[in-house]
Amino acid sequence: MKFLILAISFISFICSSNLSFEDIPIQEEGRIKPLDTFAKNQLLRISGKRTLSDSDLSSTDWLFGVLASDPKVLSIPVFYIVNPEVVYALGLEMKDGRRYTFKEISNSIDLELDMLEKINRKEEEDRDLVEQQLLQIYFNAIQFKILQSEFSCLTPTIPINNDVIADRIGVNAGEKVSYYKFARNLENMTDLIANVDPPTQTNMSSWSSADSAFYENAQLLQTINESSFGSNTLKIIPSASSHHGDEWMSPWEIVNFGKLKTNSYSNLLISLEDYIESRYNNNQIDMDKSIKDYQTILYEMTSNIPSESMLKRETWYNQANLFTYSIIFYIISFILISFSLLFWPNILRKVSLVSILIGLIFHLYGIILRMVIMGRPPVSTIYESIIFVGFVSVLFAFIIEYFRKDGLGILAASVAGAAFHYISFGYASDGDTLGVLVAVLNSNFWLATHVTTITIGYGTSIIAGIMGHIYLFYSILFPKNKQKLRSIYNNAFGVTILALFFTLFGTILGGIWADQSWGRFWGWDPKENGALLICMWQIFMIHLRLTGIVKGLGFAAGMVINNIIVVMAWFGVNLLSIGLHSYGFVSGIAINLIIFSSIELLISIGGYCIGKVRQSR
């Protein structure tokens, strides 16, 4: 039912050609994306989450509140400080949720500014963990302040209390207008400008009420303009040229760079200005009209923008949380298949299989959407490779279950799917998961051949390793069930051969790509060596099995160690910080790899020894 609701909402979402505020295209980090993605990235950077769990506001509503300096939104504690030492260093009181408002952070930064500037002058390698986190909070506060001023030229903050000035601008006395609205009507107030410029004691005494009011407004204009320094983050105004990759501009850049009289730029800002005013007045009809005007002008200016449906599709993808639903069904499947060992084996196994299938559909749907949005295979970043390897692992395990119908494939699929999703969530918190590729990876052909093939090899290798785990645990729990153990053993061997095929073929394709990109087929690069190690270990284990040197326990223990080799080749080589595959480097995983490898070694050696003892008895 949940999937049906999501499907219906997706269809209705993309069938509408009208953009909403959250769909407005913005250029960030070299890519044009909907404002919803930008809002989630900003919230993630500051709060550590893409949503406000304690508020009904969406991420885009939060962003608009910050842009418009809404007091209610600014009072929401979004700055997350995980380290108590950082809290104490900033002179803040410890809170249960460790979340603080911008005002609290800003006041603390003002008091500790000398300390922060001293830390900033240090070399990066000389800073300890607390100092790095302090600087991160400091830079996040600066970014928040910049965001707060991005719409200050379009927000109605200047009071017009004089009838003469109100008539020149075209509003009623008592209303508030924006900086931009006041500025574009300055040509109607040239006489007032002449009267007050420059202000002296002599001419001030002869000022009319209109002159005095205009002077006060001019002072406020100057204050707003000075506070806009650095307001170039919200790049929602495209370049008028048709060149792909041109830098977009923020509203303040349009205002300050003298582009007020350019019709397309002016009309875009006016439509945004009307939207903000309509939103202040809670007038949904005018809000929709303003965004529709903005959309029309935008697509008349340039064609180098994703289509309306593509922008809306990405917004829907952001809000659908498909991978969250996927891991939920994988976990449910694991629980059900575990209980099936105790009672109702046939019923629970079938329900568990259905749960795996639903999770797999969500998983596949999310991957397909990512491919459509980015226009490339879903294996270009570490995050995407984890998602894809997880899908491949679940798919192959599901196929095994389809032919075996004994619960073994369900168990392997649920474990692999849940584990890989859990790992991917950690990498998703690092930033935008739909980022622009580095140049060396920007080849859809090789991404679809080499990277996809080697990634499928990772997935099938992991399934072979999981089969090894299952064999070891089963041999300890049920050592007398020789037929079941033989069945698991044969399946693990078959998956290992399949894994070797994909890994070896992917490695050869990688060599061909390397020859085209770097002029050599093989250079003993750490990533290349890692792929070779996987192939050599799997060939080694297959040889031991075929020659009869190892039996079921030995082969299973070896395939558990295979998981260590796969993970080291996939992630571990990046810790070396050398080689031509530097685009894949990650940080902060050394401890995790050590823990994982230690546990796997313990399972391999311990499972083998205990299994031997159990079988001998």
Side-chain angles (χ1 to χ4, degrees):
M1 179 60 70
K2 186 67 178 178
F3 178 76
L4 181 61
I5 294 173
L6 283 172
I8 293 173
S9 64
F10 174 68
I11 293 171
S12 62
F13 203 73
I14 63 172
C15 283
S16 172
S17 60
N18 293 335
L19 297 179
S20 59
F21 181 73
E22 60 190 4
D23 305 320
I24 286 178
I26 179 173
Q27 188 184 65
E28 182 192 26
E29 297 178 351
R31 186 172 79 88
I32 300 172
K33 60 191 72 173
L35 196 63
D36 179 76
T37 302
F38 175 82
K40 282 179 166 54
N41 292 341
Q42 297 302 313
L43 195 55
L44 175 67
R45 174 178 177 176
I46 295 171
S47 183
K49 295 182 178 180
R50 286 185 166 85
T51 57
L52 294 170
S53 55
D54 299 331
S55 174
D56 294 333
L57 291 176
S58 68
S59 54
T60 314
D61 291 336
W62 169 82
L63 177 63
F64 180 84
V66 174
L67 295 172
S69 296
D70 186 341
K72 292 182 179 179
V73 174
L74 297 180
S75 64
I76 298 175
V78 292
F79 284 82
Y80 179 59
I81 305 178
V82 64
N83 193 337
E85 294 185 44
V86 176
V87 176
Y88 297 137
L90 290 173
L92 296 167
E93 294 183 3
M94 181 63 70
K95 293 184 178 181
D96 292 338
R98 297 183 184 178
R99 296 192 181 276
Y100 301 85
T101 65
F102 172 69
K103 184 177 180 180
E104 291 172 322
I105 294 294
S106 182
N107 291 339
S108 299
I109 287 177
D110 289 340
L111 293 174
E112 305 294 341
L113 189 58
D114 292 339
M115 175 192 68
L116 292 169
E117 290 181 346
K118 183 178 179 181
I119 294 173
N120 194 30
R121 286 193 293 268
K122 285 186 177 182
E123 296 293 332
E124 186 174 354
E125 58 270 15
D126 296 332
R127 300 173 192 148
D128 59 30
L129 179 62
V130 174
E131 290 175 335
Q132 292 174 8
Q133 293 177 348
L134 281 169
L135 273 187
Q136 186 63 47
I137 295 293
Y138 177 50
F139 293 140
N140 286 346
I142 293 175
Q143 177 66 12
F144 192 97
K145 184 66 177 177
I146 291 174
L147 284 175
Q148 200 176 348
S149 62
E150 289 286 357
F151 266 1
S152 58
C153 60
L154 303 175
T155 306
T157 54
I158 302 173
I160 306 299
N161 298 319
N162 184 269
D163 290 332
V164 174
I165 298 177
D167 182 64
R168 303 285 181 89
I169 297 178
V171 298
N172 297 321
E175 292 185 17
K176 290 184 178 181
V177 299
S178 69
Y179 177 102
Y180 178 55
K181 190 166 190 173
F182 197 101
R184 70 174 183 267
N185 285 284
L186 281 177
E187 59 185 16
N188 299 329
M189 294 177 273
T190 54
D191 55 327
L192 298 177
I193 296 174
N195 292 340
V196 303
D197 188 28
T200 62
Q201 290 291 336
T202 303
N203 65 10
M204 287 177 67
S205 59
S206 62
W207 281 0
S208 64
S209 59
D211 294 333
S212 300
F214 178 80
Y215 180 74
E216 292 177 3
N217 292 144
Q219 292 292 99
L220 184 55
L221 285 174
Q222 183 177 356
T223 302
I224 295 174
N225 186 273
E226 290 173 352
S227 67
S228 70
F229 179 75
S231 299
N232 57 0
T233 301
L234 199 73
K235 296 186 178 297
I236 57 177
I237 313 295
S239 170
S241 69
S242 58
H243 299 297
H244 183 74
D246 283 351
E247 186 77 8
W248 286 29
M249 291 170 285
S250 68
W252 267 113
E253 287 179 301
I254 298 295
V255 172
N256 289 332
F257 291 170
K259 298 182 181 292
L260 294 176
K261 295 184 179 180
T262 305
N263 287 336
S264 54
Y265 290 128
S266 179
N267 291 336
L268 273 180
L269 292 185
I270 290 173
S271 60
L272 283 174
E273 181 184 65
D274 291 341
Y275 174 82
I276 295 171
E277 186 175 351
S278 302
R279 188 156 177 165
Y280 268 112
N281 297 328
N282 199 25
N283 189 329
Q284 187 63 49
I285 295 177
D286 287 347
M287 288 166 59
D288 294 340
K289 180 181 180 302
S290 301
I291 292 299
K292 179 61 178 176
D293 292 341
Y294 182 87
Q295 175 185 349
T296 302
I297 300 166
L298 192 70
Y299 283 92
E300 287 177 352
M301 282 182 63
T302 178
S303 59
N304 291 323
I305 307 177
S307 65
E308 296 94 331
S309 60
M310 188 65 72
L311 292 168
K312 295 176 76 67
R313 185 178 288 114
E314 182 173 341
T315 300
W316 187 90
Y317 168 81
N318 292 335
Q319 299 171 358
N321 296 320
L322 296 172
F323 296 137
T324 301
Y325 292 117
S326 179
I327 191 175
I328 289 173
F329 281 103
Y330 289 152
I331 293 173
I332 292 174
S333 176
F334 176 77
I335 295 172
L336 292 175
I337 197 64
S338 299
F339 276 117
S340 72
L341 299 175
L342 303 176
F343 49 84
W344 304 335
N346 292 330
I347 296 175
L348 289 181
R349 190 160 58 241
K350 290 178 181 178
V351 177
S352 180
L353 182 64
V354 172
S355 183
I356 280 288
L357 179 59
I358 296 174
L360 194 63
I361 291 173
F362 276 112
H363 203 151
L364 176 61
Y365 196 17
I367 289 176
I368 291 175
L369 280 179
R370 292 182 64 87
M371 292 173 62
V372 172
I373 292 168
M374 298 305 298
R376 67 179 188 231
V379 287
S380 54
T381 64
I382 288 182
Y383 170 80
E384 287 184 336
S385 69
I386 294 171
I387 291 293
F388 188 70
V389 167
F391 173 76
V392 170
S393 301
V394 176
L395 179 62
F396 275 101
F398 184 84
I399 294 172
I400 292 172
E401 180 61 29
Y402 177 78
F403 288 104
R404 291 180 50 86
K405 297 180 175 62
D406 61 354
L408 178 63
I410 296 176
L411 182 59
S414 60
V415 170
F420 280 115
H421 270 319
Y422 179 77
I423 295 170
S424 72
F425 291 157
Y427 285 94
S429 63
D430 290 341
D432 189 4
T433 64
L434 295 166
V436 176
L437 290 179
V438 294
V440 70
L441 284 177
N442 197 12
S443 168
N444 278 349
F445 173 76
W446 287 112
L447 283 174
T449 52
H450 158 62
V451 182
T452 301
T453 305
I454 198 74
T455 306
I456 292 174
Y458 289 159
T460 48
S461 297
I462 292 295
I463 286 296
I466 292 176
M467 291 288 189
H469 284 77
I470 294 173
Y471 186 95
L472 291 178
F473 287 124
Y474 203 90
S475 65
I476 294 173
L477 297 173
F478 311 103
K480 294 183 179 180
N481 195 338
K482 302 296 184 181
Q483 183 178 357
K484 183 74 171 181
L485 288 172
R486 168 63 63 179
S487 178
I488 298 173
Y489 177 32
N490 290 336
N491 278 275
F493 179 69
V495 175
T496 302
I497 293 177
L498 192 63
L500 175 61
F501 168 77
F502 282 109
T503 308
L504 185 60
F505 188 48
T507 302
I508 294 172
L509 288 174
I512 299 173
W513 188 7
D515 184 55
Q516 291 189 4
S517 298
W518 300 319
R520 90 287 186 281
F521 181 84
W522 193 266
W524 300 106
D525 184 272
K527 202 75 172 178
E528 297 168 352
N529 295 340
L532 181 61
L533 280 174
I534 297 174
C535 297
M536 292 177 65
W537 182 259
Q538 290 172 351
I539 292 172
F540 174 64
M541 292 308 303
I542 291 172
H543 176 74
L544 291 180
R545 195 266 192 187
L546 293 177
T547 56
I549 297 176
V550 298
K551 303 298 182 182
L553 276 174
F555 187 81
M559 293 319 295
V560 172
I561 294 176
N562 180 70
N563 279 359
I564 300 176
I565 299 174
V566 171
V567 170
M568 285 298 177
W570 190 3
F571 296 97
V573 295
N574 297 327
L575 296 174
L576 300 176
S577 297
I578 57 175
L580 292 174
H581 293 79
S582 58
Y583 50 81
F585 290 162
V586 294
S587 60
I589 64 169
I591 295 177
N592 294 333
L593 287 177
I594 292 173
I595 294 173
F596 172 80
S597 301
S598 301
I599 293 174
E600 291 292 81
L601 280 174
L602 182 63
I603 291 174
S604 176
I605 298 172
Y608 178 82
C609 294
I610 297 173
K612 274 289 186 183
V613 172
R614 291 282 289 165
Q615 286 185 0
S616 65
R617 289 179 180 178

